[in-house]
Amino acid sequence: MTEEIIIAGFGGQGVLSMGKILAYSGIMQDKEVAWMPSYGPEMRGGTANVTVIISDERISSPILQKFDTAIVLNQQSLDKFEEQIKVGGTLVYDPNGITKEPTRKDINIYKIEGNALATELGNAKTFNMIILGAFMKVKPILSLEDVEKGLGKSLPERHHKLIPMNMKAVQCGMDNIKVVQEL
Amino acid sequence: MTEEIIIAGFGGQGVLSMGKILAYSGIMQDKEVAWMPSYGPEMRGGTANVTVIISDERISSPILQKFDTAIVLNQQSLDKFEEQIKVGGTLVYDPNGITKEPTRKDINIYKIEGNALATELGNAKTFNMIILGAFMKVKPILSLEDVEKGLGKSLPERHHKLIPMNMKAVQCGMDNIKVVQEL
Amino acid sequence: MAEVRLMKGNEVIAEAAIRCGCDGYFGYPITPQSEVMETLMIRKPWEETGMVVLQAESEVASINMVYGGASCGKKVMTSSSSPGVSLMQEGITYLAGAEIPALVVNVVRGGPGLGTIQPAQSDYYQTCKGGGHGDYRLIVLAPASVQEMNDFVDLSFELAFKYRNPAMILSDGVIGQMMEKVTLSPYKARWTDEEIEEISGSWATTGKKANRSKNVSTSLELDSDKQEEFNLHLGRKYKAMEENEVRYEKISCDDAEYMFVAYGSSARICQKAIEICRERGIKAGLLRPITLYPFPTKQIKEMVPQLKGVLSVELSMGQMVDDVRLAVNGAIPVEHYGHVGGIIHSPEEIADALETLIIKA
Amino acid sequence: MAEVRLMKGNEVIAEAAIRCGCDGYFGYPITPQSEVMETLMIRKPWEETGMVVLQAESEVASINMVYGGASCGKKVMTSSSSPGVSLMQEGITYLAGAEIPALVVNVVRGGPGLGTIQPAQSDYYQTCKGGGHGDYRLIVLAPASVQEMNDFVDLSFELAFKYRNPAMILSDGVIGQMMEKVTLSPYKARWTDEEIEEISGSWATTGKKANRSKNVSTSLELDSDKQEEFNLHLGRKYKAMEENEVRYEKISCDDAEYMFVAYGSSARICQKAIEICRERGIKAGLLRPITLYPFPTKQIKEMVPQLKGVLSVELSMGQMVDDVRLAVNGAIPVEHYGHVGGIIHSPEEIADALETLIIKA
Amino acid sequence: MTEELKDIQKEENIVYKKSSLLTDNVMHYCPGCTHGVVHKLVAEVIEEMGIQGDTIGVSPVGCSVLAYNYIDIDWQEAAHGRAPALATAVSRLHPEKYVFTYQGDGDLASIGCAEIMHACNRGENIVVIFINNAIYGMTGGQMAPTTMIGQVTATTPYGRDVKLNGYNMKITELIAQLPGTCYVTRESAHTPASVRKTKKAIRKAFENAGQNKGTSFVEVVGTCSSGWKLTPEKANEWMVDNSFKEYPLGTMKDE
Amino acid sequence: MTEELKDIQKEENIVYKKSSLLTDNVMHYCPGCTHGVVHKLVAEVIEEMGIQGDTIGVSPVGCSVLAYNYIDIDWQEAAHGRAPALATAVSRLHPEKYVFTYQGDGDLASIGCAEIMHACNRGENIVVIFINNAIYGMTGGQMAPTTMIGQVTATTPYGRDVKLNGYNMKITELIAQLPGTCYVTRESAHTPASVRKTKKAIRKAFENAGQNKGTSFVEVVGTCSSGWKLTPEKANEWMVDNSFKEYPLGTMKDE
Amino acid sequence: MAKVRGSIVVDVEKCKGCELCAVACPKDVIQLAHEVNGKGYHYASMAKPEDCIGCASCALVCPDSCITVYRAKA
Amino acid sequence: MAKVRGSIVVDVEKCKGCELCAVACPKDVIQLAHEVNGKGYHYASMAKPEDCIGCASCALVCPDSCITVYRAKA
Ligand SMILES: Cc1ncc(C[n+]2csc(CCOP(=O)(O)OP(=O)(O)O)c2C)c(N)n1
Ligand SMILES: Cc1ncc(C[n+]2csc(CCOP(=O)(O)OP(=O)(O)O)c2C)c(N)n1
Ligand code: SF4
Ligand code: SF4
Ligand code: SF4
Ligand code: SF4
Ligand code: SF4
Ligand code: SF4
Ligand SMILES: [Mg+2]
Ligand SMILES: [Mg+2]
């Protein structure tokens, strides 16, 4: 099993830490993982994206041109990464701020109203965990248990009390993902 | 004709400028010349030496291991350069401060009391010109005329009034050189 | 028990330094490696092992702090990225000239000049041929994984002290910024003053004890005969490194007819390219130099009889390829393939390049 | 009428700068080249041609002053010796990265580190392989006489502007300190503002005129695609230099069976070594690279069929020999011979080395 | 839009608009960054003095490395810390031009300490705009020489500690003492009034250059909300409460 | 020798002799060079304090680059200008040791300006001995930042001219203002009295280091007869008439 | 109508929602919009256009030069 | 004999003839010798040994630490 994922959005949306939790969850399952961020001089506001690879085998290149799954959280990212999804691959996106909907016919497409749901949950910071949940639903490569462990590993001790809230958000994402197109 | 000369003594004895006048005199005769000083961090007091090559042909290496003529003005220089004179070559030295006389049997050796003569002339600065004169006497590769022209070239305009005094010193050197050993 | 963590390459450098008993780190921020110092500052090793961590006023200052600290026989290091390392060249040649063991980490980005902050491997020449003046060599280790970022810190110090020579870890933005699983090394105690006296007492400036003559850390020699003898001594030292310290990895080389030579992140991508090549029926292999200096010249040469061609794959316009060519010495074709400027080659591109530049050429 | 003078190589650099219409010199004292700036200060060119001469606070400052002045489309230069040039590496790669024509003179001394102030040729790697980071090349001219110190100043500027690339004169303590007869060049006027606008108006930062968009002197490119395209553009430029600008001299090569390759002061000594060899009945010749980059690779290659071996003679532990080997590509034996640390090889030693390392080996 | 608004928003009613010297590029700065404000002022001064064609800017590495994308004049991008060296040469080769550097505090006070001290001591006829945000913005918020005791940054995560990190450096006070400087002032740009005042200072600095008076040095104490991890508003408040104490505003020299 | 002399020249009558920490190497300095005097004082202080085994000297390039040949302690030879960086590391790694730099004016004020300013500003626990002979001695007498207006050097052959070469830099005055320094003084070594005074200052500086007080900075205004092209005696006179005016002796800070 | 003496126009796509204009406005005219622009920023807009006096305080402090200020003669 | 209360010994081979000792000597005891040492320097020597008071002024200022100073108890 090898899953090659790109997560892309605005800086500040929690893209990098979502990737980190994914990667940690992979480690919990004794898999090989790689987490490779884009980095640039813009500290805020710019786009941020991270490649996460979870695999049973030694990972060669951490820099990819094609992905199994793209999780995109704004229009720029959709513009850029839609075409980089492998045929038969998966796109998960938040429609908030999306002005041009995805057009590819050869991939699976899912929608998750992360922004709206986070507002509903009353905690904007859970946004990325909702998205993570959505992904987990369509790509159940990791168990919820591992994600919880991954969270524990990636959060500093003093934030562990936030884990239940985060797991609730994950569940919320799993529950609310909508199919746009399934092959 | 190629004449390879080393001039060596204390810093401050006018070793470098003597070499320069020699080189300039060579140019006056349309010869190829090279003037290569030793250089080091000591500004005063240390030893100074300069290689001068005067030749009818293009000069290849300006760094030499063997010399046609060595003009040495202190004991250290004698110690170092006596052995670097070609067989049949020439040594000119000022005995002032010399504690171990030269010993080689296969070279021509001449003495010039430059220090003493300069004191006699009443001008310590003419020391190096006396030595130059001595060299000119045993190696008449350059004419007195050329040396005078060379002096003109190497002295700044405002010092040209000193040329006659310098030429007198050259003459003094020519007159006072003493044969120690001639092959 | 070994600790497994998910960490960035840069963070691991910091962690490995603390654990291997490093005495001091002196650095200056620059992307993409600032996490090294930031991690150290968060970790506060001065409270734990006594390791000193100082943000210097510049790279020129940091490399000279390294010179000062390392001249005391301490395990001292710095890290930077390409422009910062260019500024360190005078300091680096001083380290080499004074035979001071120390570690410099370069997390390479694209140049020349300010260039890009994205990954590159275009500092091979600077690192392996002497970016500074004079005849000298660095011991150069090129990690291809976060795990090797961990392992090579200790190894660099070991080699540096063995040969009294500065060492460099030549990494790049990919390895520095990516997170992978890493098994951290167990803690080693920092050397005590007595141990330093034992290991480096003949040269380290630890304060002149009554039982020895003074130690001087210098690269100056005004006597040319002595300077030449010193240069020859260095030459013999480098020869010894070349004989004893070459490290490399061979992947799928047993039956290879074509061989990639690639280090660091390029080597990882070549691994995938090998798979693609083999799917295409091309028997490709990879020789990954782990030490860039000493370079696996002999090991490449030994492969030549079984090969039809070699492709040097670098994130540069072609630098290591010189050393590959010198190793092959005209026996079979050697070509270079690489992206530059922060663009990373894909495995497909590499496989294609092997076909067009070597097989069909 | 041409003026013949007896001058030091270093002094001639200064005189040639004034005469070729150089606009500015920025330097810092270091042996064995301080006479360059001293001569300029005595000559006061600011009163004569308007040339600016400034003693900077360091080599780092002087190379960056060069960057600033040269970015205006002016003919600007600096000079230094090995340790100072190591400090300039960041600035030099910035010049290359921003495509700024400028001249750096390196009067090489022995290293590594502080080393010796005596002559050496051990900065070949630094100069020709890129002492700074990133993929770039300098145009490198290696004078072998005081006359060439004169001639190459103007030539360097010409090539630098032709290719918008920094140039280096790689000299050494011998050529810098020796006096020879030199025929000085006639005066050329400094470029007027209008001429600069004509020659370099597309890039020089002379103040944004209404009729053009702003000029920016930069080496930064955050977009990797553009940065790669820029690197490839540089690559094409270097290729063009390699095709058009190789300069070299062949001495006694017509019937040569053995060939020395040597530059600068070593080349002069090799000339004498050839005489000795020929007295011994060995048909030796010399190929003297005048441009070290672009290197006369093709010219060496062309000689190979008539040769039995090549000896690279350098005042180093063996640096240029790499490029000679890459040119010969295994066809015949290539060896290195050289002294280091300020010791100069004698012609006899070189002749002997040819016999032992090549002929009898 | 209401009729009233339309009525007001007419060309002839414009009382403030973007300087024509500012390009249309969106600045890469974070929301609320002081660099943006000062860029605007520099553009306005150059525009108002009518010296666009006679001005050469030098921006070294730092968040403002891309200043050349925003102000429509000729620019040189300098290596980290070396802008004063570049400007020295430009000014000496072009004595009739207006030459300015635009430097951050890390750039000017840390790595570029020697270059700024010597340019000012030589009295180069240049303008120095010095943005003191007490941090290395560009590289992610590390300590600068100007970072205050106790201040948290990426390399002083527990607050700057004199023992570990030394004192903060008051470089402008030192520069005011160098004989080559003719005008040294410290301003801010967080309120309309201070913005107006800073603009006057920048204008005076450029006028000094026009009169060949030597080095004019304008420090602007600013914020880096990203590095400080505060909102722009809170950052301004923090600045007033903390930075202004260590770096009191005012003109130190005007000769 | 006369009987009387023999009588006096007995071991027990010695009132002054070469410090045992000075080696037997003949110093390479020119006749009358200030470096020789100050070397002696440093050796005497270390000897008298009994800290030979606890002292590490750092000498950068300059005429004193070979200081390690003359004083019998452990030394580090630093790149030009960088001694304070070396000393910083040594001192931080060996807080119990006495660490000093011995720097020339070209070295400290020109190329090494950033390093000395920052070491002093951090308050590194080191001693700085600063030999200000107003010239670059080692390289043949070129202008230093400290070279005075009108002074002739190899690179100011017609005298230092503010327009061309800028002002001379009074770096010690600046350093005295840095919070990391605890003791800053300017001395000379041309008369028996000033030699005694300078020795006291050096001693105090070393004692400060023993008490972890921060940076102690001792400038010695000196001569370079070779660079100045004067006899040692005339050089001293020139120094009194000229250098002392620009660099007045005295203690600027003692905390 | 005489009440409306000033007005501003915000370049919405350039605005980064830093709110410094809002802080600077003496009349509390400005608030961030609920909507975001193409970069994801809530941008500045006139919440109380009628209160604007055209003093340009907002524009002066705006780091991104997004604000054009108008003032009617009377 | 009571007059001779001090004396100096100069390390002749180390002396560089700078004359600073002579200048510093309050009693004009020191002059340079007519002879030169191995380095070619006229070295310092006591021209008026009887005047020396052993004050060590000469030794204090000597850059080459060539002077040892003696003083008899009375
Ligand atoms: C030689 C070198 N070292 C380090 C860097 C990395 N770097 C870029 S900008 C910067 C500091 C920026 O801080 P400052 O000057 O205060 O500007 P700001 O971003 O805060 O406006 C650093 C360390 C570099 N580009 N070059
Ligand atoms: C990087 C570098 N630049 C220049 C030099 C040449 N250099 C050696 S010492 C020196 C200046 C010495 O002057 P100063 O520090 O005043 O010491 P002094 O000799 O006067 O005691 C210079 C420029 C060098 N060794 N290294
Ligand atoms: S990081 Fe700081 S200085 Fe840089 S743009 Fe952002 S707020 Fe401004
Ligand atoms: S050159 Fe000057 S500083 Fe150097 S030893 Fe001679 S007198 Fe002293
Ligand atoms: S100050 Fe400018 S950028 Fe900030 S919110 Fe207001 S209009 Fe937008
Ligand atoms: S112009 Fe004045 S009143 Fe109107 S919005 Fe701006 S700050 Fe407020
Ligand atoms: S001071 Fe010392 S070196 Fe100078 S003359 Fe006297 S004894 Fe000799
Ligand atoms: S000890 Fe005093 S009196 Fe005697 S020679 Fe020295 S200075 Fe003169
Ligand atoms: Mg800043
Ligand atoms: Mg000096």
Side-chain angles (χ1 to χ4, degrees), chain G residues 8 21 24-27 29-30 51-59 69:
Chain G
I8 63 169
C21 52
C25 175
K27 296 289 172 187
V29 172
I30 306 174
D51 287 355
C52 178
I53 53 172
C55 69
S57 291
C58 52
V69 184

Side-chain angles (χ1 to χ4, degrees), chain B residues 7-172:
Chain B
I7 314 173
F10 289 123
Q13 285 180 321
V15 161
L16 298 188
S17 57
M18 188 189 336
K20 202 164 157 187
I21 293 162
L22 253 178
Y24 253 122
S25 312
I27 291 188
M28 294 302 109
Q29 282 201 346
D30 239 355
K31 296 199 186 296
E32 296 300 318
V33 302
W35 175 98
M36 180 72 216
S38 69
Y39 56 93
E42 291 94 6
M43 290 216 50
R44 274 186 193 168
T47 49
N49 67 64
V50 61
T51 300
V52 176
I53 308 175
I54 301 175
S55 177
D56 293 325
E57 287 142 59
R58 180 172 166 181
I59 295 166
S60 56
S61 171
I63 309 273
L64 303 170
Q65 280 68 33
K66 292 275 173 194
F67 301 92
D68 295 310
T69 301
I71 304 173
V72 303
L73 306 173
N74 66 13
Q75 185 64 50
Q76 280 116 298
S77 303
L78 185 59
D79 294 346
K80 179 161 180 199
F81 292 109
E82 183 181 358
E83 56 190 62
Q84 294 188 27
I85 300 166
K86 296 180 193 167
V87 173
T90 299
L91 168 68
V92 178
Y93 75 102
D94 184 327
N96 181 44
I98 295 297
T99 48
K100 285 177 292 168
E101 297 287 327
T103 56
R104 272 181 66 178
K105 294 286 164 242
D106 54 354
I107 54 172
N108 301 298
I109 303 180
Y110 305 89
K111 231 188 224 187
I112 173 75
E113 297 267 4
N115 267 296
L117 292 163
T119 316
E120 256 175 49
L121 279 184
N123 186 341
K125 290 208 173 151
T126 59
F127 168 71
N128 61 348
M129 297 309 292
I130 295 170
I131 305 291
L132 179 62
F135 167 76
M136 295 273 298
K137 176 70 182 248
V138 294
K139 286 271 172 139
I141 51 168
L142 302 169
S143 71
L144 266 185
E145 214 185 355
D146 290 325
V147 171
E148 189 158 358
K149 281 198 213 144
L151 257 170
K153 278 281 178 185
S154 80
L155 286 180
E157 201 75 49
R158 67 199 144 88
H159 285 159
H160 277 191
K161 59 179 184 297
L162 300 176
I163 294 179
M165 157 63 103
N166 276 299
M167 289 312 291
K168 211 178 119 193
V170 170
Q171 193 56 55
C172 167

Side-chain angles (χ1 to χ4, degrees), chain E residues 171-210:
Chain E
I171 192 143
T172 307
E173 273 79 355
L174 301 175
I175 279 169
Q177 288 167 59
L178 299 178
T181 52
C182 61
Y183 178 51
V184 179
T185 190
R186 184 182 281 134
E187 307 291 339
S188 73
H190 64 306
T191 60
S194 63
V195 170
R196 283 198 187 88
K197 190 153 171 291
T198 300
K199 182 170 165 188
K200 277 202 191 112
I202 293 174
R203 168 112 195 190
K204 173 172 220 149
F206 273 85
E207 283 167 352
N208 285 343

